[in-house]
């Protein structure tokens, strides 16, 4: 009930509050997996997904809680944040040039999978090999809205390439896969003298993405 005795309408959740809630769930999952793998949380990952305290303050002077749209003191609703205050690209994740290694990629992949609306993931040159690629691709292959993945300059081999193929087939909105300087690039395979099965997977992935891109036009 409001101060005048009339019932309030249904509470609307601002985009900012939804993003903070998402980050809290992702960070909890990441910390849990790091604990299971006996890893310290990576500071670069923390910068990207660790929730930050709210800075919004009610007219009565009371700070809003990060996950609450009502003032804890006077129960007045938080004013909707203007667009420039909203976290930009909250469903895009850029870990470019951040060295993680397979075990941290495994923990990060679990946290990324919490975001059901994930659009893009960039993990170039992050020290990812087969185990990390398999973990990442297994988590992302069910992402309905995923459109872009960057796995360039990582040294996975055939197991990782097969995982990438499964991801491309499962994430049906995916239209761009940057695999420059990996075993999924034909020039890389030729330079290294890799077996023809690598180029077969590369061509299969490119064909799937090309056909999908044409179908969306």
């Amino acid at each position: 009930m409001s101060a005048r005795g009339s019932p309030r309408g249904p509470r609307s959740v601002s985009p900012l509050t939804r993003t903070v809630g998402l980050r809290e769930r992702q960070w909890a999952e990441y910390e849990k997996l790091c604990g299971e793998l006996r890893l310290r949380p990576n500071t670069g990952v923390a910068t990207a997904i660790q929730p930050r305290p709210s800075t919004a303050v009610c007219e009565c002077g009371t700070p809003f809680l990060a996950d609450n749209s009502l003032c804890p003191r006077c129960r007045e609703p938080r004013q909707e944040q203007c667009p420039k205050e909203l976290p930009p690209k909250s469903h895009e994740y850029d870990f470019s040039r951040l060295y993680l290694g397979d075990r941290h990629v495994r923990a990060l992949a679990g946290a990324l999978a919490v975001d059901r609306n994930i659009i893009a993931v960039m993990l170039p040159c992050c020290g990812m090999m087969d185990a990390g690629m398999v973990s990442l691709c297994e988590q992302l292959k069910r992402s309905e809205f995923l459109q872009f993945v960057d796995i360039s300059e990582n040294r996975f081999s055939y197991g990782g390439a097969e995982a990438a193929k499964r991801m491309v087939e499962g994430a049906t909105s995916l239209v761009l896969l940057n695999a420059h300087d990996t075993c999924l690039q034909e020039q890389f395979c030729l330079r290294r003298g890799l077996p023809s099965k690598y180029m077969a997977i590369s061509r299969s992935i490119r064909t799937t993405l090309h056909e999908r891109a044409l179908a969306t036009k």
Side-chain angles (χ1 to χ4, degrees), residues 22 90-93 112-120 143-146:
L22 170 63
S90 57
H91 301 293
E92 299 179 20
Y93 301 86
L112 293 175
V114 172
D115 186 353
R116 300 298 184 186
N117 297 308
I118 190 168
I119 294 173
S143 300
E144 182 180 356
F145 303 105
L146 183 66

Side-chain angles (χ1 to χ4, degrees), residues 65-97:
L65 300 177
D67 59 349
N68 202 331
S69 60
L70 294 178
C71 173
R73 180 182 178 187
C74 69
R75 309 306 293 170
E76 283 300 310
R78 181 202 299 257
Q79 295 298 313
E80 183 67 34
Q81 304 293 309
C82 65
K84 67 179 180 180
E85 293 176 317
L86 297 178
K89 302 180 180 178
S90 57
H91 301 293
E92 299 179 20
Y93 301 86
D94 189 354
F95 303 99
S96 299
R97 308 290 171 178

Side-chain angles (χ1 to χ4, degrees), residues 4-217:
R4 297 182 179 179
S6 58
R8 294 187 186 273
R11 287 167 51 184
S12 61
V13 181
S14 73
L16 178 61
T17 301
R18 285 195 296 269
T19 298
V20 170
L22 170 63
R23 293 291 181 263
E24 288 174 343
R25 296 192 302 275
Q26 287 180 306
W27 183 249
E29 181 69 11
Y30 180 68
E31 282 194 310
K32 183 192 79 171
L33 292 171
C34 282
E36 292 174 359
L37 295 168
R38 299 181 181 274
L39 296 170
R40 288 185 178 181
N42 183 281
T43 54
V45 173
T47 300
I49 67 172
Q50 188 174 23
R52 294 167 177 77
S54 172
T55 58
V57 178
C58 181
E59 291 182 357
C60 73
T62 305
F64 284 98
L65 300 177
D67 59 349
N68 202 331
S69 60
L70 294 178
C71 173
R73 180 182 178 187
C74 69
R75 309 306 293 170
E76 283 300 310
R78 181 202 299 257
Q79 295 298 313
E80 183 67 34
Q81 304 293 309
C82 65
K84 67 179 180 180
E85 293 176 317
L86 297 178
K89 302 180 180 178
S90 57
H91 301 293
E92 299 179 20
Y93 301 86
D94 189 354
F95 303 99
S96 299
R97 308 290 171 178
L98 178 65
Y99 184 83
L100 295 171
D102 283 341
R103 296 172 72 207
H104 267 295
V105 169
R106 179 180 170 186
L108 175 60
L112 293 175
V114 172
D115 186 353
R116 300 298 184 186
N117 297 308
I118 190 168
I119 294 173
V121 177
M122 287 147 275
L123 280 164
C125 197
C126 69
M128 184 164 55
M129 301 178 76
D130 274 351
M133 268 293 290
V134 170
S135 296
L136 178 70
C137 294
E138 286 299 308
Q139 293 289 0
L140 294 182
K141 71 180 183 181
R142 292 177 289 273
S143 300
E144 182 180 356
F145 303 105
L146 183 66
Q147 299 175 17
F148 173 66
V149 176
D150 186 348
I151 51 172
S152 59
E153 301 179 64
N154 285 293
R155 292 297 174 257
F156 53 88
S157 58
Y158 193 68
E162 287 186 310
K165 183 174 182 290
R166 292 193 295 270
M167 176 185 68
V168 169
E169 292 170 347
T172 55
S173 294
L174 184 63
V175 291
L176 291 172
L177 178 69
N178 184 5
H180 172 73
D181 197 24
T182 73
C183 65
L184 288 174
Q185 184 186 40
E186 287 197 21
Q187 290 180 344
F188 181 95
C189 296
L190 292 171
R191 286 198 309 268
R192 302 295 179 96
L194 298 180
S196 60
K197 62 182 182 180
Y198 284 89
M199 287 193 283
I201 284 190
S202 174
R203 288 167 183 159
S204 174
I205 288 174
R206 288 205 315 273
T207 298
T208 300
L209 294 176
H210 180 68
E211 292 175 350
R212 188 176 292 159
L214 291 176
T216 58
K217 288 184 177 180

